[in-house]
Amino acid sequence: MAGTKPPPGVDVVYQRAVFGPGTQEGVQAGKTLSFAAPVGTISYADALGTKSWEYARWTGPERPVGFAATELVASWTADVPAGSWLQVEMRGRHAAGQTKWYVLGRWAYGDEDIRRTSLSGQRDADGTVSVDTFVAAAGRAITAYQLRVTLYRTPGSAVRPVVRTLGAMASAVPDRETVPVGPDGVAWGVELPVPRRSQNVHEGHYPQWDVLRPSGRG
């Protein structure tokens, strides 16, 4: 699912699809996506130690955004029982070609298998990842994207992680140093009288979850 630039008078346009059209590697795909059979094994190390995992994977078809997008964030809903976890990646297409795959998140339901985490700092000539958001480099706005999800489980187990939905929202974000204005020169939007808050106030809280870190976004 991707946000597209709406026509006049319409706020948002949604695109919906099932998992079937994608490339299936050891998964059962339809209205949901589930682990069917392993296609390989990896060794993964984090603060909980080094463990082996078998995996299955689904790669979605390339989907047009509908405009030149400067940012993209993925989201999902999944049932990930103990002994399993998942990873979501994206790659985009711009005028000069296709980007590499960027990891937008590693997720587990509990705290015993892996440390669920975002991976800020992935950077190259095409863009960077800011926490969980792909940000295109200047002149590299993307016009299409693909998502890929890899399901992991304990080798030899019958654990069956299931992804129920997987989506993306793409945006054409204006220069953060400027404020969009209407034809009358007045800034768009309404400023609400609510207290200002920043996620940075949580810096250092719950480090075992590896998610509440400053991102530079208030």
Side-chain angles (χ1 to χ4, degrees):
M1 179 175 69
T4 63
K5 183 171 287 186
V10 178
D11 293 328
V12 179
V13 174
Y14 290 103
Q15 300 172 355
R16 294 188 180 274
V18 297
F19 289 105
T23 301
Q24 303 174 28
E25 301 174 75
V27 296
Q28 181 177 334
K31 290 185 178 180
T32 62
L33 183 72
S34 60
F35 200 119
V39 295
T41 304
I42 67 160
S43 178
Y44 180 72
D46 66 5
L48 296 179
T50 302
K51 302 178 184 179
S52 292
W53 302 94
E54 60 186 28
Y55 67 89
R57 177 177 292 151
W58 177 84
T59 303
E62 186 170 278
R63 297 190 178 280
V65 176
F67 57 92
T70 59
E71 295 189 3
L72 183 144
V73 60
S75 61
W76 59 88
T77 59
D79 299 316
V80 188
S84 67
W85 55 284
L86 63 82
Q87 174 176 279
V88 173
E89 301 166 89
M90 69 76 62
R91 68 179 175 185
R93 183 176 295 280
H94 48 65
Q98 198 170 47
T99 73
K100 70 172 186 177
W101 287 102
Y102 301 90
V103 179
L104 298 186
R106 292 175 179 150
W107 177 256
Y109 181 77
D111 300 325
E112 297 79 22
D113 294 308
I114 68 161
R115 289 281 176 86
R116 50 188 182 266
T117 186
S118 53
L119 287 89
S120 291
Q122 301 170 74
R123 182 185 301 273
D124 61 12
D126 292 322
T128 187
V129 174
S130 177
V131 186
D132 58 358
T133 303
F134 169 75
V135 181
R140 298 283 179 135
I142 62 172
T143 55
Y145 72 94
Q146 284 178 278
L147 295 180
R148 181 166 72 184
V149 59
T150 305
L151 304 175
Y152 298 92
R153 72 180 183 187
T154 303
S157 72
V159 176
R160 193 176 173 87
V162 176
V163 179
R164 288 181 277 114
T165 62
L166 175 67
M169 185 185 74
S171 306
V173 179
D175 186 336
R176 295 182 183 275
E177 300 301 319
T178 64
V179 177
V181 297
D184 57 359
V186 177
W188 295 342
V190 176
E191 183 172 352
L192 300 177
V194 297
R196 293 179 180 269
R197 293 290 184 268
S198 169
Q199 65 188 36
N200 290 353
V201 300
H202 295 293
E203 180 179 358
H205 294 186
Y206 307 106
Q208 70 272 25
W209 291 339
D210 196 29
V211 292
L212 295 178
R213 297 174 295 176
S215 66
R217 298 179 298 174

